[in-house]
Amino acid sequence: MNRKTLVLPAVIGLLAPVLAACGGTDGGSDGGGAIAVGTTDRFIATADAPAPLDPAYAYDVGSWNILRQTVQTLMIQPRGEGEPVPEAAESCTFTDTGNERYVCKLREGLKFADGNPVTAKDVKYSIDRALAIKADSGVSALLSTIDTVEAQGEREVVFHLKTADATFPYKLSTPVAGIVNPADYDKGKLRDGFEVSGSGPYKLEAKVENDEMVSAVFTKNADYKGALTVNNDKAEIRSFKDADAMDAALQNGDIDVMSRTLTPEQIKKLSIDPGENVELIDMPGLEIRYLAFNTDAPGVKDKAVRQAMAQVVNRSELVSKVYGSQAEPLYSLVPATITGHSNSFFNEYGDPSTDKAESLLAKADVTTPVKLTLHYTTDHYGAATKQEFEVLQKQLNASGLFDVTIKGTPWDSFVPAQRKGSYEVWGMGWFPDFPDADNYLAPFLDDDNFLKSPYANSVIRNTLIPASRREPDRGSAATSLTEIQDIVAEDVPVLPLWQGKQYVAARDDITGTAYVLNSSSTLQLWELGRGVSG
């Protein structure tokens, strides 16, 4: 039968304290074999990135989708929304009033997938290793407030922080803080390839062709001890060359769930007529898209050029032409649904205006038209990315102030080039590591930021970010957070464009789809089960 679109309201987050870490409530089973989830993400080991699944390196939503299933963290993000809850830990808490000493006690009986016990020393090893390697992906910056890690006995871990960090429990829920088996991970070197050794709910078997993982098969870990209820014995993430091939596999019953990235056209079609025994699940999303700038590059080094671009870009037109109701214009790095959001870019620039942009460039003695190339990735954020950049190109060139060309590059080449500073302007997306305003600001603006941006504002780094982290009540951090966003709007090291919803499509005998994505858009395969078709 045809199923209507299932829309999950944002109010689901209000249930999080009740539902957190309770496992699947749909009562699904695994009677039909492995539950297959399709994705257009690609998992490639290259000379520049030979260790795509090492927790000390991985820093994109695709690789985190693998690690979430296999590597345990002390804390975990709950269903819906809310503060993180213990996972590998039995309990975690700040033990001082200054939020600088954080103590976790491990659950009894934790084991790695090879049967060896997990101890406090293993946690210390894993954290110290990520910090020591300091991979060029920038993921270790999530742990930058750690001063030292102390193992007390077999089960107690003490984190001594350099400065107060109310967001630290969230950071311990991210894969970079995952507990790895010291027998398989060298302390000073990344682990190449696609093997993962952890204590999570699943064991991983990677199917690899030509240095690319085309399928990740997850088998339930019988030794798993944690907060999660695992509703299936086997699951699989299968990589497809494009969204059309993934859609055909779902409609044919070759896969059970279709995840990222669906095209806008597919979402529109599925919302009207999802097909036989298929449903579209529509959830609130925290994904953002933006343009980033190498502020040392000649074409955009002058702040006036970046400001003029911010003044010309028409977000409403961009969203309307490319994404429709699936996205909303964004006027800050922080999404409108996150505590601490401010419409700083709209406050600074108002509606798009060529005259105002021309005035900005004239005052700075910038010769027009400014020649720029906007770079985007062809295969990571979906097929609509090219259309998005065509609209941006048309908007900027129509002003007469810019002469813009666009260039698309596959993800495995795009990322190394971006990190080496090869691009002046490039487009990226951000799926939050955790749902807090700090995670939309510090990763872009702090020291060792993941963009490798040369932009450095001492007030943001030395005063405002630390001040915001001192506030356990995140609403009380609004003053510092707003000031950061206002500075970003003035200096434009990044240019926010839009925020989007998240979608999955699934066969209607699959249960648990309401929770298969967490608030950071990463997969929770343990929630899925196989039930009776409606």
Side-chain angles (χ1 to χ4, degrees):
M1 63 178 288
N2 290 337
R3 298 292 295 268
K4 294 181 179 179
T5 302
L6 175 61
V7 180
L8 301 179
V11 74
I12 198 170
L14 300 177
L15 303 177
V18 178
L19 297 174
C22 295
T25 58
D26 288 313
S29 66
D30 193 34
I35 295 176
V37 178
T39 181
T40 58
D41 285 325
R42 299 178 67 199
F43 309 93
I44 303 174
T46 66
D48 288 316
L53 296 184
D54 191 317
Y57 174 84
Y59 204 14
D60 65 86
V61 69
S63 57
W64 276 22
N65 280 341
I66 306 298
L67 295 175
R68 290 281 187 193
Q69 326 307 320
T70 52
V71 177
Q72 224 175 351
T73 49
L74 292 170
M75 304 290 283
I76 196 167
Q77 294 179 38
R79 284 177 159 190
E81 300 174 6
E83 297 181 358
V85 296
E87 212 294 75
E90 177 181 285
S91 63
C92 286
T93 186
F94 283 107
T95 60
D96 65 332
T97 57
N99 290 342
E100 294 182 0
R101 187 178 188 272
Y102 196 72
V103 179
C104 292
K105 185 175 182 180
L106 296 178
R107 295 177 185 271
E108 289 190 25
L110 290 178
K111 294 180 180 180
F112 288 112
D114 65 1
N116 287 320
V118 176
T119 69
K121 288 183 179 179
D122 297 322
V123 178
K124 172 179 169 57
Y125 181 93
S126 301
I127 300 293
D128 286 347
R129 175 178 179 271
L131 287 168
I133 290 176
K134 199 176 182 180
D136 65 2
S137 64
V139 70
S140 65
L142 285 168
L143 306 176
S144 63
T145 55
I146 295 175
D147 186 13
T148 59
V149 185
E150 182 182 357
Q152 295 188 348
E154 293 294 302
R155 293 176 56 201
E156 189 168 278
V157 185
V158 182
F159 297 92
H160 301 278
L161 305 185
K162 300 173 185 175
T163 184
D165 187 0
T167 69
F168 189 65
Y170 285 103
K171 293 170 181 176
L172 288 184
S173 75
T174 62
V176 68
I179 308 166
V180 298
N181 192 335
D184 298 317
Y185 290 84
D186 190 298
K187 190 163 188 175
K189 180 181 179 298
L190 292 172
R191 184 181 186 180
D192 293 353
F194 298 98
E195 292 183 292
V196 180
S197 302
S199 55
Y202 296 99
K203 299 179 182 180
L204 169 66
E205 178 187 352
K207 296 183 179 180
V208 180
E209 297 176 2
N210 300 319
D211 295 322
E212 180 172 1
M213 184 174 69
V214 296
S215 171
V217 178
F218 301 95
T219 303
K220 188 175 180 179
N221 178 11
D223 289 322
Y224 169 71
K225 296 274 195 308
L228 305 173
T229 299
V230 183
N231 290 324
N232 58 73
D233 292 327
K234 184 176 284 189
E236 178 185 6
I237 294 177
R238 194 178 303 170
S239 184
F240 289 85
K241 64 178 182 178
D242 56 45
D244 288 337
M246 180 170 62
D247 187 17
L250 179 71
Q251 298 294 342
N252 292 335
D254 296 329
I255 60 174
D256 300 291
V257 180
M258 181 165 62
S259 63
R260 50 175 274 116
T261 302
L262 284 70
T263 66
E265 293 77 16
Q266 284 176 326
I267 293 169
K268 185 176 180 180
K269 175 181 175 294
L270 287 166
S271 66
I272 298 170
D273 180 14
E276 189 72 17
N277 300 321
V278 170
E279 62 184 8
L280 178 69
I281 299 95
D282 169 353
M283 292 168 275
L286 298 177
E287 172 190 6
I288 69 168
R289 297 286 177 86
Y290 58 92
L291 292 178
F293 298 93
N294 178 351
T295 53
D296 279 350
V300 294
K301 187 172 185 178
D302 194 316
K303 181 169 67 174
V305 174
R306 308 192 301 270
Q307 290 175 329
M309 291 178 69
Q311 186 66 74
V312 167
V313 167
N314 187 329
R315 295 168 177 81
S316 295
E317 180 186 59
L318 174 66
V319 168
S320 175
K321 286 188 173 182
V322 183
Y323 298 101
S325 62
Q326 301 157 28
E328 296 178 356
L330 181 64
Y331 296 93
S332 169
L333 280 173
V334 180
T337 48
I338 292 288
T339 299
H341 164 83
S342 174
N343 279 323
S344 297
F345 272 80
F346 188 82
N347 297 339
E348 181 73 20
Y349 301 100
D351 293 324
S353 170
T354 297
D355 289 342
K356 290 180 180 179
E358 185 175 18
S359 177
L360 287 166
L361 294 171
K363 287 179 181 177
D365 293 324
V366 174
T367 302
T368 59
V370 179
K371 297 190 69 170
L372 296 172
T373 299
L374 272 55
H375 295 265
Y376 66 93
T377 178
T378 57
D379 58 352
H380 191 69
Y381 300 116
T385 306
K386 180 181 180 182
Q387 184 183 355
E388 177 179 342
F389 272 72
E390 288 171 344
V391 172
L392 288 171
Q393 178 188 33
K394 185 175 181 180
Q395 288 181 355
L396 291 165
N397 288 348
S399 72
L401 304 174
F402 295 93
D403 180 6
V404 168
T405 58
I406 59 175
K407 184 176 181 181
T409 305
W411 183 249
D412 59 313
S413 300
F414 177 87
V415 171
Q418 175 262 307
R419 288 177 182 162
K420 292 175 183 175
S422 301
Y423 302 151
E424 287 187 315
V425 190
W426 68 99
M428 295 265 293
W430 181 251
F431 298 85
D433 307 320
F434 52 88
D436 186 276
D438 177 87
N439 192 241
Y440 288 91
L441 299 172
F444 298 88
L445 305 169
D446 212 349
D447 189 28
D448 295 326
N449 63 82
F450 90 101
L451 288 175
K452 305 299 178 189
S453 171
Y455 174 77
N457 184 290
S458 60
V459 174
I460 289 177
R461 292 185 177 182
N462 301 330
T463 302
L464 297 175
I465 289 177
S468 72
R469 289 173 174 169
R470 282 194 289 269
E471 298 291 348
D473 177 0
R474 303 308 290 154
S476 299
T479 300
S480 298
L481 295 170
T482 297
E483 191 170 345
I484 294 172
Q485 292 167 83
D486 288 346
I487 293 172
V488 170
E490 167 65 23
D491 291 350
V492 201
V494 289
L495 177 57
L497 298 171
W498 56 266
Q499 71 178 84
K501 298 178 182 179
Q502 55 186 6
Y503 298 85
V504 295
R507 308 289 299 180
D508 65 0
D509 64 335
I510 299 300
T511 61
T513 53
Y515 298 108
V516 70
L517 293 177
N518 68 10
S519 57
S520 298
S521 299
T522 51
L523 288 169
Q524 303 180 138
L525 296 182
W526 56 85
E527 294 285 359
L528 298 177
R530 200 179 295 278
V532 179
S533 175

